[in-house]
Amino acid sequence: MTIKDIPEEWEIRATETPFVGNKTSVRTDDVVMPDGTVVTRDYQVHPGSVAVLALDDADRVLVLRQYRHPVRHKLWEIPAGLLDVPGENPLHAAQRELYEEAHVKAEDWRVLTDVYTTPGGCDEAVRIFLARGLSEAEGERFAVEDEEADMELARVPLEDLVRGVLAGELHNNCLVVGVLSLVAARAGDGIEALRPALAPWPARPFEA
């Protein structure tokens, strides 16, 4: 048996959008089940995101600590952000986020992994990139506001992040998935075998 996710869409009898927010909305669908019954499913509609595991020459990962109000925590995270424009090239969005949040640029970009963060209640898709060959970005720093104004920046050894993840001390989805995916890639076919930065992404199609 091939272990691979496949696209599929069950019949929707009715749909409405009871809430529309600044970046996301909530949709309610009446979905036909395999036995013919119809059930209601509520979920968040999300534009999609990108995240960047930026790895320096000392095998340290660039991380940020930011307050996240829904979970009432300051979380260590990797740089990440929304795909603000439908069809936006995710590599360009990732390069923008790395610049805006850390004032860093990278020479080598690869796709580390693609994930649905919470597919039971949200359609958010995230592409996590591996960025290497880091250097200070040119130009003025991006002006931050709100939660980002209180953000802390650090470079942490990869092995320390792995320990923190497995100890239950680090919880951000993209950090956890990114760190463990990098370890798995190294233990498998190696970083050079990762997909190119402009690899197709069916969850959020884009123009290269």
Side-chain angles (χ1 to χ4, degrees), residues 63-78:
V63 291
L64 312 159
R65 185 158 66 175
Q66 184 173 346
Y67 176 67
R68 295 299 188 184
H69 186 70
V71 295
R72 309 301 198 271
H73 269 71
K74 271 192 170 182
L75 299 179
W76 284 106
E77 308 178 349
I78 56 178

Side-chain angles (χ1 to χ4, degrees), residues 23-175:
K23 296 291 185 180
T24 66
S25 60
V26 173
R27 184 174 297 164
T28 299
D29 291 342
D30 292 340
V31 186
V32 181
M33 297 289 105
D35 64 359
T37 60
V38 178
V39 301
T40 299
R41 293 288 179 261
D42 302 315
Y43 58 100
Q44 183 184 22
V45 178
H46 194 284
S49 306
V50 292
V52 185
L53 195 149
L55 187 70
D56 69 15
D57 293 338
D59 214 38
R60 299 176 303 175
V61 177
L62 192 156
V63 291
L64 312 159
R65 185 158 66 175
Q66 184 173 346
Y67 176 67
R68 295 299 188 184
H69 186 70
V71 295
R72 309 301 198 271
H73 269 71
K74 271 192 170 182
L75 299 179
W76 284 106
E77 308 178 349
I78 56 178
L82 298 176
L83 293 169
D84 292 323
V85 180
E88 182 177 13
N89 186 310
L91 174 60
H92 297 167
Q95 291 169 333
R96 179 188 68 232
E97 292 301 328
L98 186 60
Y99 167 76
E100 291 182 355
E101 295 193 350
H103 202 66
V104 166
K105 62 181 180 179
E107 295 298 321
D108 184 82
W109 290 82
R110 298 173 190 271
V111 175
L112 192 51
T113 191
D114 299 323
V115 294
Y116 291 115
T117 54
T118 49
C122 179
D123 71 351
E124 181 183 14
V126 181
R127 168 156 282 188
I128 303 177
F129 290 91
L130 172 65
R132 297 181 299 168
L134 308 184
S135 61
E136 189 79 3
E138 301 172 356
E140 296 183 3
R141 287 186 173 272
F142 182 77
V144 297
E145 58 184 6
D146 302 327
E147 290 92 343
E148 292 183 352
D150 189 51
M151 208 160 50
E152 302 170 57
L153 178 66
R155 295 195 183 200
V156 178
L158 177 64
E159 61 184 15
D160 290 352
L161 295 177
V162 172
R163 281 197 295 268
V165 167
L166 298 180
E169 298 168 350
L170 299 171
H171 308 89
N172 174 263
N173 182 290
C174 292
L175 183 146

Side-chain angles (χ1 to χ4, degrees), residues 12-24:
I12 298 173
R13 290 282 174 83
T15 185
E16 62 179 18
T17 305
F19 171 80
V20 177
N22 184 33
K23 296 291 185 180
T24 66

